[in-house]
Amino acid sequence: MPIKQYQIENVLVVEIEGDISYDATLELATTLDSIIDNGTLRILIVPRDIEILNSMAVGVLFTRCTRLQECGGRMALAEVTEGLSKIFTATRFYRLVKGYPDIPSALQALQEEN
C-alpha cells in the first residue's frame, strides 16, 4: 500500500492505494501520527481504488481523526469508492468526517473551514 503525500495550500493530501493489510494499517497509523505531530491541521484522505478496510484500519482513521479534531484540525475524504462508503456509513465514520466526490471540492471545503 503506497502512501503518497503532497501539500496544496494549507491542506496535506494523503493518497492511499491498494489493499490495506495489517502491516499497511500500521504504516498508515505511523504516517498519520507523524503528520499530526508536525502540526498539520487540515488532512485530505484519498483512498484510491480501496473497496474494503479491515476493522483495525477503520479504528486508525477514527482515532487519528478524533486526535486531529482535538488539536483544532479537520479531516476530509475524497473519491471514496462505493464499497468503502458503505463501510464508513455503517461505522458512522461519516459523522466525524465529510466525504466529497473529488479532490477540488474537498480542498475547497477544508480551506473554507475555520
Side-chain angles (χ1 to χ4, degrees):
M1 172 199 76
I3 297 175
K4 180 179 170 185
Q5 301 175 41
Y6 54 93
Q7 190 85 25
I8 299 180
E9 296 185 28
N10 67 336
V11 177
L12 184 68
V13 180
V14 179
E15 292 186 5
I16 308 164
E17 288 189 48
D19 294 333
I20 307 292
S21 64
Y22 173 79
D23 291 335
T25 300
L26 295 177
E27 180 185 353
L28 178 61
T30 302
T31 299
L32 291 175
D33 283 339
S34 176
I35 290 168
I36 295 167
D37 289 345
N38 287 330
T40 299
L41 294 177
R42 301 284 185 259
I43 301 173
L44 174 58
I45 305 288
V46 183
R48 298 232 183 249
D49 300 321
I50 298 173
E51 288 294 331
I52 61 169
L53 284 180
N54 61 37
S55 59
M56 186 176 167
V58 173
V60 164
L61 290 174
F62 259 101
T63 57
R64 281 22 177 225
C65 179
T66 301
R67 184 171 163 228
L68 184 63
Q69 289 176 348
E70 289 170 354
C71 295
R74 295 284 175 260
M75 184 183 287
L77 297 161
E79 300 180 8
V80 177
T81 62
E82 184 179 342
L84 198 52
S85 185
K86 288 178 183 178
I87 291 169
F88 289 149
T89 299
T91 60
R92 299 184 180 182
F93 188 58
Y94 280 140
R95 289 185 176 195
L96 289 176
V97 177
K98 292 182 183 175
Y100 297 90
D102 53 48
I103 292 173
S105 57
L107 288 171
Q108 181 178 355
L110 282 171
Q111 290 167 346
E112 290 174 353
E113 291 180 359
N114 291 325

